[in-house]
Amino acid sequence: MTEIPQTTYKRVLLKISGEALMGDQGYGLHPPTVERIAREIKSVHDMGVEICMVIGGGNIFRGLAGSAQGMERTTADYMGMLATVMNALAMQSSLEELGVFTRVISAIRMDEVAEPYIRRRAVRHLEKKRVCIFAAGTGNPYFTTDTASALRANEMACEALFMGKNGTDGVYDSDPRTNPNAKRYDSVSYDDVLVKNLKVMDASAIALSRDNNLPIIVFPLDEPGGFRGILAGQGTYTKVG
């Protein structure tokens, strides 16, 4: 029998971008990539960790980009929220294929495909070891899924917010793809992230995390076993706190 490593975290929120689900495609969902990420989540779920998730919608539609092209901002943001529901349903399908009970919980009511967001009910799902995927952001325009992640993580009393990134193993002082001398931080304060504009998450999400002492763990999502490894105290990551 494979030994299951111990983790100091009992309940976490995992935030991933919609682009993480594209694989090598330029748009949409890549089912093998969704399945790979689902297996990463299952490996952590098997450690006994209670997991909730927020998935962006940028692989399908990004509200801010639509607004920049002349679309009315509120309408564009609502379209982006609907994109997150599609991604959440795709992840739910992959997780349940692996035997992980999952609930998609939407901030916008759509009772035929997702539960409405009720905090106490969501907490109960987590206590029953179901993975909760929070969709449709906060339900309000002008707020990103980063802010929704910090909000839901605090509402669920999560012990940390895990930011899964593709192509990077933490937070750098500049873009390592264009600056070979970029410095990676092992840890960095909330205030430094804001002052230095390190682009971990948007400013509202960082401020909300800071005000509630919610640590943010930035780690490589595309590294096999990375999520599980960091929860077991291994791997490379940056802690914002």
Side-chain angles (χ1 to χ4, degrees), residues 25-47:
Q25 303 174 153
Y27 175 82
L29 289 157
H30 183 238
T33 299
V34 178
E35 181 183 353
R36 178 186 64 77
I37 295 173
R39 290 188 181 279
E40 295 280 335
I41 294 164
K42 181 182 185 301
S43 71
V44 171
H45 184 266
D46 290 345
M47 297 167 70

Side-chain angles (χ1 to χ4, degrees), residues 77-82 84-85 105-111 113-117 135-140 152:
D77 279 357
Y78 278 121
M79 292 172 66
M81 292 180 217
L82 296 178
T84 71
V85 177
I105 301 174
S106 174
I108 298 174
R109 292 193 70 102
M110 47 186 76
D111 295 343
V113 297
E115 291 186 9
Y117 177 70
T138 67
N140 301 287
R152 298 295 186 234

Side-chain angles (χ1 to χ4, degrees), residues 139-162:
N140 301 287
Y142 296 94
F143 289 92
T144 68
T145 50
D146 282 351
T147 303
S149 300
L151 174 64
R152 298 295 186 234
N154 281 301
E155 288 181 304
M156 295 298 106
C158 291
E159 296 164 340
L161 194 168
F162 280 71

Side-chain angles (χ1 to χ4, degrees), residues 5 26 38 63-64 84 159 167 171 181 193 195 229:
L64 197 58
T84 71
E159 296 164 340
V171 179
N181 297 315
V193 169
V195 170

